[in-house]
Amino acid sequence: PEFTCNGHQWCIELYPGGTGEAGAGYLSLYLQLCSGRKVTAKYEVSVLDKYQNIVRSKKGTLSNSGDVTSWAWGWKNYCSLSDILNQLKNILDDNGTLAVIVSIKKDSASAAPFVPSNPIRRMMA
């Protein structure tokens, strides 16, 4: 699914069978930047159970210089597929839907600081 956050277009990539050999038996989950613009941010991806409680949460930092049109960050082994499918853990809802929440915060350290003009200079000129 695609969404917009902080002026950028994003997409969540989910692979229930994992990606690559290291991901076998795991849910692979990636946050993809689709807008291709420069961004540095901190993100958190959480999986909810069917009662809206967070059951798994992972954080990361991403940085894109803007010269790549699409880039993804995430995990080959976000969580065990057996955990998701375990009905006792109540992760999937009654329709088999997996709920994921994404939080993205721009890194304020990467933004240029705002320096206002000095009004005293105009008075002295």
Side-chain angles (χ1 to χ4, degrees):
E2 288 190 19
F3 61 97
T4 302
C5 182
N6 294 326
H8 296 279
Q9 190 70 25
W10 303 90
C11 182
I12 299 173
E13 296 181 1
L14 292 170
Y15 299 93
T19 55
E21 289 182 31
Y26 286 88
L27 169 75
S28 296
L29 193 150
Y30 300 94
L31 177 63
Q32 180 180 10
L33 174 65
C34 302
S35 62
R37 296 195 331 239
K38 184 176 181 176
V39 63
T40 299
K42 295 179 187 214
Y43 64 98
E44 182 173 4
V45 180
S46 303
V47 169
L48 306 178
D49 66 14
K50 68 180 182 180
Y51 304 110
Q52 304 301 307
N53 299 310
I54 295 175
V55 293
R56 169 83 54 179
S57 189
K58 290 191 176 187
K59 297 178 181 183
T61 301
L62 58 88
S63 182
N64 180 22
S65 61
D67 55 354
V68 178
T69 57
S70 179
W71 198 254
W73 297 265
W75 305 271
K76 284 184 181 180
N77 54 355
Y78 182 83
C79 66
S80 167
L81 196 54
S82 61
D83 283 347
I84 292 173
L85 298 175
N86 184 339
Q87 292 183 352
L88 297 174
K89 295 193 177 199
N90 294 307
I91 294 176
L92 299 178
D93 72 7
D94 296 335
N95 296 320
T97 303
L98 178 68
V100 177
I101 294 178
V102 177
S103 171
I104 303 170
K105 297 179 183 175
K106 284 186 181 180
D107 187 3
S108 59
S110 67
F114 172 70
V115 180
S117 62
N118 187 342
I120 296 176
R121 283 190 177 172
R122 285 184 293 203
M123 293 189 303
M124 296 180 78

